[in-house]
């Protein structure tokens, strides 16, 4: 779905460029623009739902692993650390998992797909511009 979203974004940008140049007539442009926008919105919704489900599954697994490790800790750990400190630390770590991990992962994955899409677009439209990038 990340690929479909990026292809939709590129298609929308290219189509707007053709429309601005006058290559496409105005009667067809509204329909094509609407179809591209509906497709992009649909793929973004599906992408976000899949990403949300994956993140929920991942954070649940990490939470269960953390809880399992905490429960299997030796008794000396609980003797030296107050329960309030353990609970505070555990809830803080779970909060970080629930908030920062999905945001960081989504930013990095979308950034990689955006970079790839831009690189392919430049490679197709102006292949000579890739030479300084690669060298």
């Amino acid at each position: 779905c990340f690929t479909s979203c990026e292809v939709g974004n590129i298609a929308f940008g290219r189509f707007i460029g053709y429309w601005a140049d006058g290559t496409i007539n105005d009667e067809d442009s509204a329909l094509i623009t609407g179809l591209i926008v509906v497709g992009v919105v649909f793929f973004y919704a599906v992408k976000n739902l899949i990403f949300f489900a994956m993140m929920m599954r991942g954070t649940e697994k990490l939470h269960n692993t953390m809880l399992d490790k905490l429960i299997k800790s030796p008794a000396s750990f609980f003797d030296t650390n107050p329960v309030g400190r353990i609970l505070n630390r555990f809830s803080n770590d779970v909060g970080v998992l629930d908030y920062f991990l999905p945001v960081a992962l989504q930013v990095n994955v979308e950034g990689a797909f955006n970079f790839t899409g831009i690189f392919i677009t430049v490679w197709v439209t102006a292949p000579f511009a890739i030479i300084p990038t690669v060298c």
Side-chain angles (χ1 to χ4, degrees), residues 11 19 21-22 26-28 32 34 39 44 52 60 66 71 78 84 88 93 95 98 104 107-108 111 115 117 123 132:
W19 188 15
D21 288 343
D26 289 338
E27 292 83 28
D28 296 335
I32 295 171
Y44 266 101
F52 177 75
E60 181 181 358
M66 285 172 44
I71 290 173
F78 294 102
N88 187 23
D93 290 347
D98 288 342
V107 165
N108 286 317
F115 173 77
W123 182 59

Side-chain angles (χ1 to χ4, degrees), residues 10-75:
I10 292 170
F12 184 74
R14 298 293 295 162
F15 178 74
I16 294 298
Y18 289 139
W19 188 15
D21 288 343
T23 308
I24 299 173
N25 60 11
D26 289 338
E27 292 83 28
D28 296 335
S29 60
L31 176 66
I32 295 171
T33 304
L35 291 174
I36 291 173
V37 168
V38 166
V40 168
V41 168
F42 172 75
F43 282 119
Y44 266 101
V46 170
K47 176 196 73 150
N48 286 333
L49 287 173
I50 291 171
F51 190 78
F52 177 75
M54 288 173 47
M55 286 295 100
M56 289 298 292
R57 208 170 336 134
T59 56
E60 181 181 358
K61 187 174 180 179
L62 285 171
H63 174 270
N64 291 340
T65 303
M66 285 172 44
L67 186 60
D68 185 53
K69 297 290 183 183
L70 182 66
I71 290 173
K72 292 180 181 178
S73 295

Side-chain angles (χ1 to χ4, degrees), residues 63-129:
H63 174 270
N64 291 340
T65 303
M66 285 172 44
L67 186 60
D68 185 53
K69 297 290 183 183
L70 182 66
I71 290 173
K72 292 180 181 178
S73 295
S76 62
F77 174 75
F78 294 102
D79 291 339
T80 57
N81 293 306
V83 175
R85 184 184 304 160
I86 296 170
L87 184 61
N88 187 23
R89 185 65 177 262
F90 190 81
S91 64
N92 185 32
D93 290 347
V94 169
V96 167
L97 282 177
D98 288 342
Y99 181 72
F100 292 112
L101 184 66
V103 170
L105 186 62
Q106 187 171 18
V107 165
N108 286 317
V109 169
E110 284 184 357
F113 275 91
N114 285 340
F115 173 77
T116 304
I118 290 169
F119 189 80
I120 290 171
T121 302
V122 170
W123 182 59
V124 168
T125 58
F128 58 88

